[in-house]
Amino acid sequence: MKNAQTINRSTTHWRHDPNQILADHLGAEFTAYRRAWRKAELGERPDFPLHLDVDITTVCNFRCPMCPAGQPQSAFPGLGLKLSEETYLKALREGENRLPSIRIGVTGEPLLNPNVARWIQEAKRFGVLDVALITNGLLLSGAMSEALIKSGLTRLMISVDAASQATYRKTRPGGDWGKLLANIGEFLAIRQSLDTPLPLLRLSFVEMALNIHDREKFRLNFGSLADYLTFQNYQNILGQERSNWGLTTPKSGHCAEPLTRLALHANGGLFPCCSDFGRLAPLGHFPENSLSEIWNSPLALALARDQSWSANCQSCQKAADPDAYKEQARQDLTPTDLRPKDPLKLAEPLVPQGLIVPTTTQIPGSAPSASIPEGR
């Protein structure tokens, strides 16, 4: 990892800019999409979302202590569901050739769907450029890796949150550290054998009191294997004392997600972002409400202008310093599209044992309305 960028309260480290790699392979359309994204963050909101998070299931094979899907006894809404393929295809059809990006997976484990590679292929058929999938990696067998690589997937995102078996047992109950490492290694070997750089591999680490001692070791161990790493702030969405492992205090500010994306829940609910807090701020229901209708609704437009009136948004640690956030977007829109200037110095990576490494409320400005959802 030679570069680092911090934006929207998460930090990304990379060896080569992932968006530049995708631009090299996907061409001018991808470059135009990323420029539109940066312009949206500056307030130039498009007339249709640039990205759709798709929660194809809220079922999970892990029991992570900080996640609603891992705590079935919690009162969090919408657990144990699966999105119908019919609803998914309707969303893709509406976004045909104007929805440039989707991510499969929000709450549950998408690899529990044996047909997930076909779902990715359908997204590509409808003109989606950038198709990501987020997973815990346990079901990433060799056959699944090959299917995902051949499907047209552009980003594979694996949530790791540890650099040792002892920490992994605490953060990811139900997982298998050795199997995860072997799966990552096999994916990289298959990708190399197919002579393609895609999908890019992102490994992520959510910083919390349970694992913060592993942060630097994670960066060193995995920095030379992944195409990029992300470090994210933990959010106590369960609101329980036993899950209060956050290291920072929520900060009010600017969030660009209502300017760039929508999230489609497994039950058809539409929400302003992929955050767990976002599911407590519903915008409508698909397909009864179209994506375009919800995107341009008074509530969605109000959230895009200002989130300070929404208690759910202000509970979310994704709220960021608006000046710093917009300055990063302005820098990325400069003609040279400069990367961060200061390289991140890394020691020699410590390859994890067992890892196969391939060789080579009220809407502001409106009258009070009972129809505006606040909270659940």
Side-chain angles (χ1 to χ4, degrees), residues 20 77 81 148 156 159 163 215 299 307 316 321 328 374:
Q20 186 59 55
L81 303 175
L148 292 177
L156 178 65
S159 302
R215 187 190 193 281
L299 180 55
Q307 300 94 41
C316 178
D321 182 332
Q328 181 65 59
E374 184 64 51

Side-chain angles (χ1 to χ4, degrees), residues 51-341:
H51 176 85
L52 184 67
D53 290 291
V54 183
D55 209 5
I56 67 172
T57 182
T58 58
V59 178
C60 192
N61 52 343
F62 280 21
R63 289 295 176 262
C64 303
M66 64 288 193
C67 178
Q71 303 296 312
Q73 75 279 9
S74 72
F76 204 85
L79 298 180
L81 303 175
K82 297 179 181 180
L83 183 71
S84 73
E85 190 167 1
E86 179 185 7
T87 298
Y88 174 71
L89 290 175
K90 283 182 179 179
L92 291 178
R93 194 169 292 114
E94 184 185 347
E96 186 170 7
N97 294 323
R98 59 176 179 159
L99 177 66
S101 174
I102 70 168
R103 185 180 69 175
I104 293 176
V106 180
T107 308
E109 174 48 54
L111 297 189
L112 288 170
N113 182 336
N115 300 313
V116 67
R118 187 181 75 225
W119 286 42
I120 295 165
Q121 290 171 337
E122 291 290 354
K124 300 300 287 188
R125 182 169 70 87
F126 281 100
V128 180
L129 295 170
D130 193 4
V131 182
L133 180 143
I134 187 165
T135 173
N136 58 42
L138 186 65
L139 301 177
L140 190 66
S141 64
M144 178 63 76
S145 288
E146 184 171 354
L148 292 177
I149 293 167
K150 291 180 176 179
S151 70
L153 187 70
T154 53
R155 304 180 198 244
L156 178 65
M157 303 172 171
I158 302 179
S159 302
V160 180
D161 301 333
S164 65
Q165 180 171 282
T167 302
Y168 192 70
R169 285 173 178 163
K170 296 177 182 177
T171 60
R172 296 274 166 184
D176 183 320
W177 180 245
K179 189 172 184 179
L180 172 68
L181 299 181
N183 288 351
I184 292 172
E186 189 171 17
F187 164 80
L188 290 170
I190 292 171
R191 189 180 71 173
Q192 185 181 47
S193 73
L194 294 173
D195 194 26
T196 175
L198 302 181
L200 298 178
L201 176 63
R202 186 195 86 170
L203 302 178
S204 63
F205 187 100
V206 176
E207 299 171 350
M208 48 189 159
L210 287 175
N211 67 358
I212 193 62
H213 58 281
D214 269 9
R215 187 190 193 281
E216 185 65 8
K217 186 178 178 182
F218 174 85
R219 184 175 69 86
L220 294 173
N221 284 9
F222 292 104
S224 63
L225 299 174
D227 296 294
Y228 60 117
L229 306 177
T230 60
F231 296 88
Q232 301 157 334
N233 291 114
Y234 169 72
Q235 300 180 79
N236 185 12
I237 183 61
L238 296 175
Q240 301 170 355
E241 184 59 34
R242 64 183 177 86
S243 58
N244 187 22
W245 299 305
L247 302 171
T248 59
T249 302
K251 178 181 178 181
S252 299
H254 172 79
C255 177
E257 297 208 2
L259 295 162
T260 56
R261 71 174 73 206
L262 286 175
L264 176 62
H265 191 258
N267 67 0
L270 284 168
F271 303 89
C273 66
C274 64
S275 165
D276 290 321
F277 287 101
R279 286 200 300 273
L280 303 178
L283 298 175
H285 198 274
F286 184 84
E288 293 85 348
N289 305 118
S290 70
L291 299 178
S292 182
E293 181 182 5
I294 291 300
W295 180 251
N296 294 293
S297 67
L299 180 55
L301 292 171
L303 281 173
R305 287 192 300 268
D306 176 26
Q307 300 94 41
S308 63
W309 57 274
S310 170
N312 291 313
C313 287
Q314 292 309 298
S315 296
C316 178
Q317 292 190 32
K318 286 190 176 182
D321 182 332
D323 294 331
Y325 196 96
K326 291 181 179 180
E327 178 56 30
Q328 181 65 59
R330 289 189 190 96
Q331 288 180 17
D332 288 349
L333 283 170
T334 57
T336 52
D337 193 19
L338 294 176
R339 317 290 188 275
K341 294 182 174 63

